[in-house]
Amino acid sequence: MKDVTGRLARASSRHPWRTVALWVASIVLSVGAIAGLLGSSLTTDAEMTNNPESYRGYDVLNAHFPPSPDYVNELVVVRSRTLTVADPGFRARVESLARAIEATGVTQPVHTYYTSRDRALVSPSRHATVIPVGLTGDGDAGIERVIQVVDASAGGAFETAITGEFTADRDFTKLSEEDLQKGELQFGLPVALIVLLLVFGAVVAGLVPVVVALVAIAVSLGLTALVGQAFDLSIYVVNMISGMGLALGIDYSLFVVSRYREERRLGSDELTSIGTVGSTACRAVLFSGSAFVLAMVGMVLVPDTILRSLATGAILVGVVSVFAALTLLPAVLALLGDRVNALRVPWLGRRVERSAGAEGRVWSRVVRSVTAAPWLATVLSVGFLVVAALPILTIETGLTGVRELPDRFHAKRGFTMLEQSFGVGTPDAVQVVVEGDVRSAPLKAAVAELARRVGSAGAFLPPDVSTSPDGRVAKVEALVAGDSRDERALTAVQRLRSDVAPSVFAGLDAKVLVTGETAEVIDYRKLTDRWLPIVFAFVLALSFVLLTVAFRTIVLPAVAIALNLLSVSAAYGLMVLVFLHGFGRDFLGFTEVDVIAAWLPLFLFAVLFGLSMDYTVFLLSRIRERVAVGDRTIEAVVHGVSSTARIITGAALIIIAVFVGFATGDQVEFQQMGFGVAVSLLIDATLVRLVLLPAVLALLGERTWYLPRWLGWLPHVEIEGAGGSRLQA
């Protein structure tokens, strides 16, 4: 199966229209599937599949308590600054709103303070009341009708707002769609196109990678729709596919098109150039894409549906992007020929075309300066990266909630009004589940003592105690004061689990579980903390093996992994510095938060290692091919870095633009993700690739290629094929 990529490229270029037609058919077939995917197959729900304590608590409650006919998943707040609940006008407005909500036909019977006389529904100031609402049937569709009614009732002396499970889901979905349009389509894609024009110096050459990326995104979304028929996928998979599709599709196309133009500059005819590209650049793309996909497999291992959804989207778009680069792109190049250089940018176009594959003078001077003083460059670079990474020691992880939504969203307005009037922001409660003979005197007394401690903790509202009909389970339930996901709530619930409940039930024959929304966040944080080192080890081991096989040395993989770890750690530290300590946060326009998203360190590590393999393979393969034709390592490093710097920098700027697009949105977790990826890649493509890597390789010299004799059985995998012999110094 030697030179599979070369054969694919040559076959595609011999029958270009057939290849293009197959890809067009794939897009057409994907369109209908994409409509179904965006319409109903995606969810905002997250689920841990490791059965944590919070889930076990839910199972016990569901097994022993009958379904409540009056469940509540939304809270409607009515407030007046001049009237109180005792005023007839206030009562009339509340009762009219309740009737209108019930008339939508999507809720259970709606009760108010005036029908139940439940004082918990009235604020301490008596200027506000809550109308509990339980949606029936399709809550995602029903919530729209309820929101319309709530909005229509506002005005005059009254404010109305709604918040809850389906309102928040609706708002997060809407925000995700807005961020996708604003960040990727209005920012990331245009900036990527500008960078491509600067790199290639021609409009057609710049548009080709964009077209290939858009094709990869469309087909990947269609495949995701098929996967979504069997598995629940997160709404954020669309953002993942669009972002990674632009990044990978453009990057891979950039490497292939630049190599094609280089071969044409060296005198090869069009079809021969495509064949050489297939045996060299396409092989590097296949290797890089495989490494990226394997890195994403690390996230699939984690028992969390959101991470698995993101990994699924990344894997699908990674595979499709590679296949497009190996088949569609050679066909397009065969159809275009030298017209790929059409519509040159004035002055820049011909200069770029003439210099394809040659050493850049500026880059060459930089690298020669670094290799002339490698110790100084290494110490300064490592020192900067270590200092940048230090804030990671103060990282706090968690999950962002409704509080971080922009004020224009319904769930946020309802949350704010609830918190101001009642001291709670969501209908989320902590539930302590006690399983045993709860009607016995000892357990009765313990349950009462637990309720007393919950009520006096200061982080909860007064609790309710209920017993299951079979007398086997007692439930102590209390609303969480403020935001159920903030650090105060997390600390209080963790204390319930680790200190209060064990001390109250010590020596008693009872099983105690703490569940609820806040407990789920604690369980999720534990999950990511546990799996982070496992994913680290998995990705690092795979990266080491792949690079060792590719370059037949154990030194180079170790260096590449160490440098990648440094750049990722620096990105973590800078992310903590900006988002948690506020350094430059207002200037950059980011949302103020108390935590870094718990899934983000794990996600960033896998994604950044996968993306950095593009630059690593592209650069090191060029260095290796120069060594293979007789150059000393330091000469090969200078040539490899200076001849690829423009392409690598351009590729990095494209991915940075894509993820800066994420960071420009309003969803704080995407702000953190976009910032983290952009900063890490900026460091990786500049400081690491232009300074630190050349300096370290200059220090190592010929020891860079050391391979123990007992590993001599490793296969010879030539990433750049025989193309190296054609390169000119």
Side-chain angles (χ1 to χ4, degrees):
M1 295 299 291
K2 190 175 181 180
D3 197 21
V4 174
T5 58
R7 288 205 295 270
L8 270 176
R10 284 187 286 271
S12 299
S13 62
R14 290 192 192 104
H15 308 284
W17 285 114
R18 183 188 305 173
T19 303
V20 171
L22 288 173
W23 277 97
V24 171
S26 300
I27 295 173
V28 172
L29 291 174
S30 299
V31 170
I34 293 171
L37 175 74
L38 299 177
S40 60
S41 300
L42 302 178
T43 177
T44 57
D45 294 335
E47 182 179 350
M48 293 168 280
T49 58
N50 62 334
N51 197 29
E53 180 178 335
S54 55
Y55 286 17
R56 299 197 302 273
Y58 293 141
D59 291 340
V60 171
L61 291 176
N62 292 333
H64 291 272
F65 282 85
S68 172
D70 297 321
Y71 63 86
V72 174
N73 42 40
E74 305 295 319
L75 296 177
V76 176
V77 189
V78 182
R79 183 172 69 180
S80 172
R81 299 191 182 280
T82 58
L83 302 178
T84 69
V85 293
D87 292 307
F90 198 114
R91 177 169 184 165
R93 178 62 65 94
V94 171
E95 290 179 339
S96 173
L97 177 56
R99 287 193 299 269
I101 292 173
E102 195 167 328
T104 61
V106 298
T107 71
Q108 296 181 6
V110 179
H111 301 289
T112 69
Y113 162 71
Y114 301 104
T115 57
S116 67
R117 291 297 169 181
D118 182 357
R119 293 184 178 180
L121 300 179
V122 178
S123 67
S125 69
R126 300 183 64 80
H127 282 279
T129 185
V130 168
I131 304 175
V133 176
L135 290 172
T136 58
D138 185 359
D140 292 328
I143 191 62
E144 293 292 343
R145 299 174 66 179
V146 175
I147 287 175
Q148 289 176 5
V149 170
V150 172
D151 286 346
S153 70
F158 295 93
E159 300 173 87
T160 58
I162 182 171
T163 192
E165 175 186 349
F166 290 105
T167 310
D169 286 350
R170 167 192 178 273
D171 289 348
F172 277 114
T173 301
K174 187 176 181 181
L175 180 58
S176 175
E177 293 170 352
E178 289 179 1
D179 284 355
L180 174 62
Q181 181 179 4
K182 180 176 71 174
E184 301 311 306
L185 301 182
Q186 297 179 11
F187 182 86
L189 186 57
V191 173
L193 184 55
I194 292 172
V195 173
L196 285 169
L197 290 177
L198 294 176
V199 171
F200 285 127
V203 174
V204 174
L207 286 175
V208 167
V210 174
V211 171
V212 172
L214 293 177
V215 169
I217 290 171
V219 175
S220 300
L221 285 172
L223 293 174
T224 302
L226 296 179
V227 175
Q229 300 304 309
F231 306 98
D232 287 336
L233 293 175
S234 167
I235 185 70
Y236 304 129
V237 73
V238 176
N239 301 69
M240 185 67 171
I241 287 174
S242 66
M244 296 309 304
L246 284 175
L248 296 177
I250 291 176
D251 259 19
Y252 295 158
S253 301
L254 179 62
F255 297 153
V256 171
V257 173
S258 63
R259 187 62 183 251
Y260 171 78
R261 298 175 87 201
E262 179 182 341
E263 292 299 322
R264 291 291 290 134
R265 183 182 68 84
L266 294 174
S268 296
D269 62 54
E270 292 175 359
L271 290 181
T272 301
S273 296
I274 293 175
T276 303
V277 167
S279 300
T280 55
C282 286
R283 192 180 297 184
V285 166
L286 177 61
F287 190 93
S288 298
S290 301
F292 174 81
V293 168
L294 289 174
M296 293 302 100
V297 170
M299 285 206 301
V300 177
L301 301 175
V302 184
D304 169 57
T305 56
I306 285 188
L307 284 175
R308 286 179 175 174
S309 293
L310 295 175
T312 298
I315 289 171
L316 289 175
V317 80
V319 170
V320 174
S321 296
V322 168
F323 198 58
L326 301 186
T327 58
L328 176 60
L329 194 50
V332 171
L333 291 175
L335 292 173
L336 290 174
D338 286 340
R339 286 172 294 185
V340 74
N341 299 319
L343 301 178
R344 293 183 179 90
V345 177
W347 182 80
L348 180 66
R350 292 195 180 277
R351 289 177 60 90
V352 171
E353 190 177 340
R354 287 195 301 268
S355 63
E359 293 186 17
R361 286 181 297 177
V362 174
W363 306 115
S364 180
R365 283 197 294 267
V366 171
V367 178
R368 291 184 188 280
S369 299
V370 167
T371 54
W375 276 112
L376 179 62
T378 300
V379 170
L380 291 178
S381 300
V382 171
F384 171 79
L385 293 175
V386 169
V387 170
L390 287 178
I392 198 175
L393 299 176
T394 62
I395 190 171
E396 293 286 346
T397 61
L399 292 179
T400 56
V402 176
R403 187 188 297 276
E404 281 71 42
L405 278 171
D407 293 339
R408 67 181 183 275
F409 286 98
H410 287 85
K412 174 63 176 295
R413 295 201 301 267
F415 170 89
T416 303
M417 197 179 297
L418 265 178
E419 191 173 38
Q420 290 171 349
S421 301
F422 290 86
V424 299
T426 65
D428 301 325
V430 63
Q431 298 168 319
V432 184
V433 182
V434 182
E435 189 174 10
D437 184 9
V438 296
R439 289 174 178 166
S440 65
L443 281 187
K444 264 189 175 181
V447 169
E449 173 61 15
L450 177 66
R452 186 191 68 79
R453 293 202 188 184
V454 169
S456 62
F460 311 102
L461 271 64
D464 292 323
V465 180
S466 55
T467 303
S468 63
D470 60 6
R472 296 298 305 166
V473 174
K475 176 177 66 174
V476 179
E477 184 172 19
L479 285 172
V480 178
D483 188 349
S484 61
R485 293 188 175 196
D486 67 16
E487 196 59 36
R488 179 190 180 207
L490 294 172
T491 301
V493 173
Q494 182 58 49
R495 185 170 176 271
L496 269 181
R497 273 186 175 177
S498 59
D499 298 332
V500 177
S503 65
V504 170
F505 291 92
L508 297 177
D509 185 17
K511 181 180 179 181
V512 183
L513 300 169
V514 179
T515 188
E517 177 72 18
T518 310
E520 288 185 49
V521 175
I522 293 172
D523 289 335
Y524 188 78
R525 192 155 61 175
K526 287 182 179 178
L527 180 149
T528 54
D529 288 346
R530 177 175 182 268
W531 279 90
L532 186 63
I534 297 174
V535 173
F536 267 46
F538 179 84
V539 174
L540 291 177
L542 276 180
S543 299
F544 187 84
V545 170
L546 286 169
L547 291 175
T548 299
V549 170
F551 298 107
R552 294 186 59 78
T553 170
I554 62 171
V555 176
L556 199 56
V559 170
I561 287 172
L563 299 189
N564 283 341
L565 280 174
L566 274 174
S567 63
V568 171
S569 299
Y572 284 171
L574 293 174
M575 187 169 60
V576 171
L577 187 67
V578 171
F579 284 94
L580 299 192
H581 299 295
F583 186 82
R585 181 180 57 210
D586 294 337
F587 173 76
L588 295 171
F590 294 143
T591 305
E592 182 178 355
V593 291
D594 297 323
V595 295
I596 298 295
W599 55 269
L600 201 55
L602 193 153
F603 170 86
L604 279 181
F605 178 79
V607 168
L608 290 172
F609 249 80
L611 290 176
S612 68
M613 290 298 288
D614 286 350
Y615 313 136
T616 300
V617 171
F618 188 60
L619 172 58
L620 296 184
S621 61
R622 286 300 182 97
I623 295 174
R624 179 63 175 173
E625 69 184 30
R626 299 296 300 191
V627 172
V629 296
D631 283 1
R632 293 174 57 245
T633 296
I634 193 166
E635 296 167 348
V637 168
V638 171
H639 175 82
V641 173
S642 57
S643 63
T644 61
R646 181 173 56 86
I647 299 299
I648 287 180
T649 303
L653 287 175
I654 289 167
I655 299 183
I656 289 169
V658 169
F659 281 91
V660 167
F662 279 114
T664 60
D666 291 323
Q667 192 150 323
V668 66
E669 294 187 352
F670 280 171
Q671 289 179 354
Q672 294 176 351
M673 179 187 73
F675 178 83
V677 173
V679 167
S680 179
L681 291 182
L682 181 63
I683 293 172
D684 191 69
T686 54
L687 182 62
V688 171
R689 301 296 167 209
L690 295 177
V691 179
L692 188 52
L693 180 62
V696 172
L697 295 185
L699 290 173
L700 290 170
E702 303 310 314
R703 290 168 293 183
T704 300
W705 312 106
Y706 170 72
L707 182 73
R709 289 183 180 178
W710 59 272
L711 289 178
W713 55 269
L714 288 175
H716 290 259
V717 180
E718 297 179 1
I719 294 179
E720 286 284 344
S725 60
R726 293 182 43 78
L727 291 177
Q728 296 178 352

